[in-house]
Amino acid sequence: MKDDEYYMSLAIKEAQKAAAINEVPVGAVIVDKNKKVVGYGYNCPISSNDPTSHAEINAMRMACLALNNYRLIDMVLYVTIEPCIMCMGAIIHARINRVVFGAKDPKWGAAGSLYTMADDKRLNHRPEVLSGIYEEKTKKLIQKFFLDKRSK
């Protein structure tokens, strides 16, 4: 649990980078079995003109390049908000072992809220999912972002 909190705090720092450029504040880090961060990223679909530029995807791209492999076996993905359908699909394709996220996403979440892709026995890989690490902190980060946007 201590490790989960540490790596989630790194993901939160990534989310803050997104907020600083007026993107939805979602951040992610990928950690290997030796507890080394091999990838990190934050949301930037607006500034990059790329709808796939979610925090999880950016972290996976970095990790895959660093490891010279499209598979991320034995890796843990930490992300501030529950992954969406696109990101869960990529997580499953990459064979990420474990997904740890902060707050649930009732509108887009594919790791328990709207869909539960990790439990779908029709898929050939099912990552372990843990939610609620720094849940309040990650939820408030998103809520503050949208409250600030609406007030302008």
Side-chain angles (χ1 to χ4, degrees):
M1 190 65 144
K2 209 67 153 154
D3 283 347
D4 289 341
E5 290 173 352
Y6 171 72
Y7 293 114
M8 186 60 74
S9 72
L10 297 180
I12 290 168
K13 286 179 182 173
E14 290 298 310
Q16 291 165 338
K17 292 177 187 177
I21 60 168
N22 208 28
E23 296 272 4
V24 176
V26 179
V29 296
I30 296 177
V31 179
D32 70 12
K33 63 183 175 185
N34 298 316
K35 300 184 180 188
K36 178 184 174 199
V37 174
V38 294
Y40 52 87
Y42 54 88
N43 264 15
C44 57
I46 298 165
S47 59
S48 66
N49 294 311
D50 179 358
T52 69
S53 195
H54 289 197
E56 302 94 321
I57 300 295
N58 292 330
M60 283 188 273
R61 285 177 177 149
M62 180 184 280
C64 288
L65 285 172
L67 301 167
N68 197 32
N69 194 336
Y70 75 109
R71 296 283 194 227
L72 298 173
I73 296 166
D74 295 327
M75 303 287 159
V76 180
L77 170 75
Y78 292 88
V79 61
T80 55
I81 300 299
E82 181 179 359
C84 71
I85 299 160
M86 174 186 68
C87 291
M88 277 305 293
I91 288 162
I92 290 165
H93 276 293
R95 307 296 193 271
I96 288 176
N97 187 54
R98 187 168 174 251
V99 177
V100 179
F101 69 87
K104 291 187 177 288
D105 185 349
K107 292 185 178 181
W108 285 96
S113 291
L114 191 59
Y115 296 98
T116 310
M117 291 175 67
D119 290 344
D120 192 329
K121 291 178 177 37
R122 296 170 296 177
L123 300 173
N124 63 344
H125 177 70
R126 290 183 296 282
E128 175 190 339
V129 175
L130 174 67
S131 65
I133 303 298
Y134 287 140
E135 182 175 11
E136 281 306 306
K137 188 181 278 192
T138 56
K139 187 180 354 179
K140 284 180 181 170
L141 192 59
I142 290 276
Q143 288 173 337
K144 181 186 180 325
F145 175 80
F146 285 111
L147 283 172
D148 289 350
K149 262 204 162 329
R150 287 184 195 111
S151 69
K152 289 181 182 173

